Amino acid sequence: MSIHDGHRARMYQKMEAGNFSEHEWLEILLYPMLPRRDTNALAHRLLLRFGTADDVFHASMEELQSVEGVGVAVASHIKAIGHFIDKKPAKRSAFTKEFTPEEFLPYVKSVYCSCPYEVVDFYLLDGYGHVIARQGFSSDSLYDVQLIPEEVTAFLLNKDGSGVVVVHNHPKGSAQPSEKDDEMTKNIQMLCSMHNRLLCDHIIYATDGVYSFYKSGKLAEISRQFSFSKMLRDSK
């Protein structure tokens, strides 16, 4: 056991509370690269040299290695964090607070235009149309996402949920739904119906535009044909 283990355990607990100072965030980000060293002192040296954490992450490899205790591996780790901060699609870290067909489509265009692989995101709405949660499903693939019914059901059963909007992107190709997209919509509609959740829309984004199952009228027909109550009636 390292002499730093107790301190690091306390730091992890403090991190959960979210009241870190800048040098403490930098200290904890250095843990993976320096498992047996005092990263607190190194974090202070970096801030003393560069001024702010942002300046640390955007320093050159040569500048970073001029600080005592920073070798190639640590400098590369710091640079990787800086590049991630710069390159990540920031808009996907948050979601719009309310669903209306008119306002949600521009949001979809702004968020999903930068996503390089296929995703299916579920937005859970309360009874007033406010977005209260989002869960994404992705496979790091350009062409395929597998939805697991048990995972979708667990998301739908959030106690405050009332409605669902599904957003799906086509990184390559058209926004027009394929037969597979139609089948996915039918399956999602059936799951929503079984758990008393209203499927409000399934939106597909692609570089050639945005397709809405709701605005096209296709969702209304799917909702009529694929519902738990209809299945029960038909089984009699």
Side-chain angles (χ1 to χ4, degrees):
M1 177 180 291
S2 167
I3 61 173
H4 302 298
D5 286 347
H7 171 70
R8 292 189 176 190
R10 290 190 294 273
M11 287 289 286
Y12 290 137
Q13 291 175 351
K14 187 175 182 180
M15 179 178 65
E16 289 296 318
N19 56 348
F20 266 6
S21 62
E22 192 169 53
H23 83 270
E24 287 173 323
W25 280 117
L26 187 55
E27 173 187 349
I28 205 168
L29 286 170
L30 291 168
Y31 283 172
M33 296 304 301
L34 301 168
R36 296 289 182 264
R37 286 176 52 188
D38 179 9
T39 60
N40 180 280
L42 179 55
H44 278 291
R45 288 198 297 274
L46 286 164
L47 289 173
L48 184 63
R49 168 68 173 80
F50 297 106
T52 70
D54 185 65
D55 291 326
V56 171
F57 293 129
H58 292 91
S60 69
M61 289 285 290
E62 183 179 359
E63 289 171 331
L64 289 167
Q65 290 177 81
S66 71
V67 177
E68 179 188 351
V70 178
V72 173
V74 173
S76 299
H77 179 70
I78 293 171
K79 288 294 294 182
I81 295 172
H83 283 305
F84 173 77
I85 292 170
D86 289 341
K87 299 294 184 182
K88 75 181 184 69
K91 289 182 178 178
R92 280 188 58 77
S93 65
F95 48 77
T96 187
K97 298 301 182 185
E98 189 170 358
F99 171 77
T100 62
E102 295 75 20
E103 295 180 6
F104 207 76
L105 293 182
Y107 163 79
V108 167
K109 292 178 182 179
S110 68
V111 172
Y112 292 85
C113 65
S114 60
C115 189
Y117 48 85
E118 189 167 354
V119 300
V120 177
D121 286 347
F122 280 64
Y123 292 79
L124 190 65
L125 314 178
D126 65 13
Y128 300 98
H130 299 134
V131 180
I132 58 175
R134 183 186 73 191
Q135 181 166 329
F137 299 85
S138 70
S139 60
D140 294 338
S141 166
L142 282 174
Y143 305 108
D144 190 42
V145 171
Q146 298 296 325
L147 294 181
I148 300 173
E150 292 79 7
E151 293 182 357
V152 174
T153 296
F155 179 74
L156 293 177
L157 290 179
N158 181 302
K159 62 182 177 66
D160 296 319
S162 178
V164 176
V165 176
V166 178
V167 180
H168 176 206
N169 68 323
H170 289 168
K172 302 290 184 181
S174 170
Q176 288 297 311
S178 64
E179 290 184 9
K180 189 173 182 179
D181 294 327
D182 288 344
E183 288 303 311
M184 180 170 66
T185 307
K186 294 171 185 177
N187 291 334
I188 294 171
Q189 161 58 28
M190 183 61 77
L191 280 173
C192 288
S193 175
M194 289 173 64
H195 300 294
N196 197 30
R197 300 292 185 262
L198 175 66
L199 179 57
C200 300
D201 204 351
H202 177 189
I203 300 168
I204 300 176
Y205 170 85
T207 55
D208 69 345
V210 178
Y211 181 91
S212 163
F213 275 77
Y214 168 77
K215 291 180 75 68
S216 71
K218 204 169 187 178
L219 183 60
E221 179 61 26
I222 289 174
S223 298
R224 283 193 294 270
Q225 294 297 319
F226 295 86
S227 70
F228 189 57
S229 59
K230 182 179 185 301
M231 184 181 71
L232 290 177
R233 290 196 302 271
D234 292 347
S235 66
K236 293 180 179 179

